[in-house]
Amino acid sequence: EVLLVESGGGVVRPGGSLRLSCAASGFRFDDYGMTWVRQAPGQGLEWVSGIDWTGGDIKYADSVRGRFTISRDNAKNSLYLLMNSLRVEDTAFYHCARVPGFGGTSSWFDPWGQGTLVTVSS
Amino acid sequence: QSVLTQPPSVSGAPGQRVTISCTGTTSNIGVGYDVNWYQQFPGKVPKLLIHANKNRPSGVPDRFSGSKSGTSASLAISGLQAEDEADYYCQSYDISLSGSYVFGTGTKVTVL
C-alpha cells in the first residue's frame, strides 16, 4: 500500500520557520516526483512546490518562492519543505503527494498524505 | 491564487447528470495542457478522479467522465448518487507562473 505521512507542523510566530517532512512507503520513492499542496481551513487547494525524482527540477508557487525550500532524500524515502519567513497567510494543512513524471505539463498528484497543520499566529 | 475558475456550487437530484466547468486561459488549458480532477469529502484528503482530461484511475466509477475543449474542461457526473456529494477541483499546468501547477477554485456538489 502506498503511504505518505507528513509531520513537522505546529504553531509558529510570523517570521518564524518550520521544516515539514513526508515519509513515503509502499512504492519505489526514487521513481517519482513529489509535491506539496496546501489547504487553508475551509478554503481551496493551492499548489506550493514540487521536485522531480533526482532533485534537479524544482518548482515553486510565486507565493512561496524565496521563502520555502523543497528537498528530498531518496535514501530515506523522505520529502521535506523548509519554510522560512512564515506569514499568517501560510496557515494551512500541508499535504505531500506523489507525482508521476513531475515537471511535465500533464502531471497529476496521487495519492495524497493526510497533511500536517501549520498555524502562523502571533 | 487560483487561475482556473469553477462554479462555486452545482446541484442535482439523484439519478440526474451534472457538469462542472473549469475555465482557464491561453496560459494553461488553452495551450493544450492536460486537466486533472480531484474529489474531496469533508475532512478528507483529495483523491484523484480523472487524469489527462478523460482517464479514470482504477476504482473510479464510470459515471464520472472528463472532457476538454479550448480553454475549458468539464467533469460530468451521470446517475448522480448521494455519495457523490463532495468538493471537486480541477488542476492543470500554467506556463505564465514560471511554469507551475494550478488548481481550480473548487465546486461543491450537492445531491438534492
Side-chain angles (χ1 to χ4, degrees):
Chain A
E1 177 193 9
V2 174
L3 197 59
L4 300 171
V5 180
E6 302 91 339
S7 61
V11 180
V12 62
R13 304 273 193 198
S17 299
L18 275 179
R19 188 193 193 214
L20 305 184
S21 298
C22 169
S25 60
F27 66 101
R28 187 176 170 119
F29 185 67
D30 56 9
D31 272 352
Y32 290 86
M34 297 293 294
T35 196
W36 289 97
V37 177
R38 68 185 181 184
Q39 186 171 33
Q43 302 301 309
L45 302 172
E46 180 186 13
W47 178 78
V48 174
S49 180
I51 186 169
D52 76 341
W53 68 276
T54 68
D57 184 9
I58 288 175
K59 300 182 189 294
Y60 296 100
D62 285 349
S63 58
V64 307
R65 186 176 292 110
R67 300 187 298 122
F68 290 11
T69 303
I70 191 172
S71 62
R72 64 187 294 160
D73 185 336
N74 287 344
K76 295 183 178 180
N77 291 343
S78 293
L79 173 73
Y80 306 101
L81 185 68
L82 175 61
M83 305 184 296
N84 293 324
S85 303
L86 282 162
R87 306 167 180 169
V88 171
E89 54 265 35
D90 294 319
T91 294
F93 284 94
Y94 285 73
H95 300 272
C96 63
R98 188 178 68 172
V99 188
F102 175 81
T105 58
S106 300
S107 295
W108 60 85
F109 311 145
D110 178 58
W112 300 48
Q114 289 296 318
T116 187
L117 178 61
V118 172
T119 302
V120 185
S121 174
S122 55
Chain B
Q1 182 180 358
S2 299
V3 297
L4 304 179
T5 302
Q6 301 178 231
S9 63
V10 298
S11 61
Q16 285 189 330
R17 181 178 188 270
V18 297
T19 60
I20 301 170
S21 61
C22 173
T23 303
T25 69
T26 52
S27 297
N28 40 69
I29 300 174
V31 178
Y33 297 143
D34 287 344
V35 177
N36 309 303
W37 291 90
Y38 302 87
Q39 177 188 57
Q40 185 180 30
F41 296 107
K44 300 298 185 182
V45 173
K47 168 193 164 187
L48 180 68
L49 197 63
I50 297 284
H51 64 87
N53 306 317
K54 60 181 181 180
N55 299 292
R56 287 186 307 276
S58 174
V60 174
D62 61 5
R63 64 176 183 276
F64 293 94
S65 62
S67 63
K68 190 187 80 167
S69 178
T71 57
S72 295
S74 292
L75 174 71
I77 310 175
S78 302
L80 192 64
Q81 299 184 9
E83 66 203 54
D84 299 331
E85 189 162 291
D87 293 324
Y88 294 82
Y89 294 90
C90 59
Q91 173 253 316
S92 186
Y93 183 87
D94 192 293
I95 194 64
S96 70
L97 303 174
S98 305
S100 66
Y101 300 97
V102 290
F103 283 96
T105 49
T107 299
K108 168 69 175 179
V109 170
T110 300
V111 181
L112 302 173

